Amino acid sequence: MLWAVGPKWLGCLRHRRAERTNTMLTITEAAGTHLQSILDKANAPDDAALRFVPGQQGLEITMDKPRENDQQLEHEGRIILLLDQQLAEELSKHTLDAKQTEQGPALTLQTA
């Protein structure tokens, strides 16, 4: 199952490599709640989380299980988002948020 995130907020990632850093992507409470609700609606098993993967129009979200070297982000004690090492580095200085739109919550990515 894939959910398109949209091209405008991640187009900057296509050809840019971030410096190696120990900082992580920041997830707001609204984004954490939205990602958790996606997992809940999909009846995801406890060991599954969402993963950002490159798509044709930016990043897409798929359900997956943790892999070696993944960055794992938690919300309310559950791992909700997985990032491979390269993407984690590229997103390390960003904040993931969820904004309410007419179509429902939409994820946005902002430079921290």
Side-chain angles (χ1 to χ4, degrees), residues 1-3 35-53 60-67 70 78-82:
M1 182 179 303
L2 294 176
W3 290 272
L35 294 173
Q36 180 71 46
S37 72
I38 292 171
L39 290 167
D40 291 345
K41 288 177 185 174
N43 293 317
D46 290 340
D47 62 344
L50 300 172
R51 178 183 296 280
F52 282 151
V53 295
E60 297 176 345
I61 300 174
T62 187
M63 198 163 316
D64 201 0
K65 294 187 179 182
R67 301 177 192 161
D70 274 349
R78 179 175 182 181
I79 297 170
I80 57 166
L81 185 62
L82 305 168

Side-chain angles (χ1 to χ4, degrees), residues 8 20 22 32-33 36 40 48 58 66 68 89-90 102 108:
K8 70 178 183 179
R20 288 199 176 267
N22 290 330
T33 299
Q36 180 71 46
D40 291 345
E68 189 175 339
E89 290 174 14
E90 292 174 0
E102 291 179 10
T108 62

